[in-house]
Amino acid sequence: SEHGVLVDVGDFLHADNRSNVTPGSGHLLDVDTRFRRVCTIAVEALRYCVGRMLQKHKTVRLIIAQGNHNPDSAGWMAICMKLYYENEPRVTVDMTPGKFHYFEFGNVLIGVTHGDRLKIADLPSIMAADRPAMWGQAKHRYWWTGHIHHTKHQEYRGCTVEAFNTLAASDAWHSASGYRSMRQ
């Protein structure tokens, strides 16, 4: 296809800083203690993915949603990618500062958010309220989320919401809490 989209639905970095705890709840996370190394590998991984996509697509759009594990690092990762590709007209990095990202592809409207701090069933009405003109013109509408860490596909009136598995390996806190989601 001509256009490719690389979407991080949040929590690409399992921890937001070297404290290795979730910013909101303070849950202890198992992460490499060399946070600068984690950051370097994360940026290199995204650059690799975009580079591979550029071999197959004329344009690439990158969306990095902020999650509950990485509300700040999602921002600086987007800045890094924007600066790295600033002279590459084939790459667009979404610099939306909020939690909701939207883009159109033909007659399809797609929203991206991590999915924390909201009810998944509210996403269609959030999309309609945030982007009424786009909602009205679109024939198909989708949300892509990640927070629940397992695959889910739910149809609502006028919109479909998909949740995707986590990239992160299970850590001690999640394992002890009974979470057993697959990694994808």
Side-chain angles (χ1 to χ4, degrees):
S1 65
E2 266 189 50
H3 308 289
V5 181
L6 177 59
V7 177
D8 162 19
V9 291
D11 294 346
F12 189 80
L13 287 182
H14 190 49
D16 208 32
N17 56 49
R18 64 186 179 161
S19 68
N20 293 342
V21 297
T22 53
S25 60
H27 293 139
L28 188 60
L29 303 168
D30 296 337
V31 183
D32 190 304
T33 58
R34 300 160 294 177
F35 190 67
R36 185 175 293 194
R37 181 174 189 271
V38 171
C39 297
T40 300
I41 291 169
V43 171
E44 287 174 349
L46 282 176
R47 282 181 39 205
Y48 174 82
C49 291
V50 171
R52 294 286 294 168
M53 290 180 74
L54 285 171
Q55 293 174 359
K56 295 188 176 260
H57 306 287
K58 287 185 181 178
T59 65
V60 173
R61 175 188 302 267
L62 174 61
I63 299 172
I64 301 172
Q66 58 178 289
N68 59 311
H69 286 226
N70 70 335
D72 295 327
S73 60
W76 63 251
M77 283 176 44
I79 292 168
C80 286
M81 299 307 286
K82 176 82 171 167
L83 291 172
Y84 185 80
Y85 290 107
E86 68 183 341
N87 295 318
E88 174 52 81
R90 297 172 53 208
V91 176
T92 302
V93 179
D94 185 325
M95 296 303 292
T96 301
K99 292 190 67 80
F100 304 105
H101 304 260
Y102 300 95
F103 70 98
E104 293 174 294
F105 186 78
N107 62 3
V108 179
L109 173 58
I110 299 171
V112 174
T113 190
H114 183 58
D116 60 311
R117 299 192 334 207
L118 55 83
K119 293 180 178 143
I120 296 297
D122 290 339
L123 285 172
S125 61
I126 290 171
M127 179 183 277
D130 286 355
R131 298 294 188 270
M134 294 166 85
W135 176 275
Q137 293 173 0
K139 185 175 179 181
H140 308 282
R141 298 167 203 93
Y142 295 92
W143 272 105
W144 295 338
T145 70
H147 179 65
I148 59 173
H149 291 215
H150 59 269
T151 302
K152 185 173 185 174
H153 180 99
Q154 182 70 46
E155 291 183 39
Y156 296 95
R157 288 182 198 96
C159 188
T160 299
V161 179
E162 292 184 75
F164 297 92
N165 292 85
T166 183
L167 292 172
S170 185
D171 57 29
W173 186 88
H174 286 91
S175 181
S177 299
Y179 294 104
R180 298 295 186 267
S181 298
M182 293 175 46
R183 292 173 67 189
Q184 294 181 342

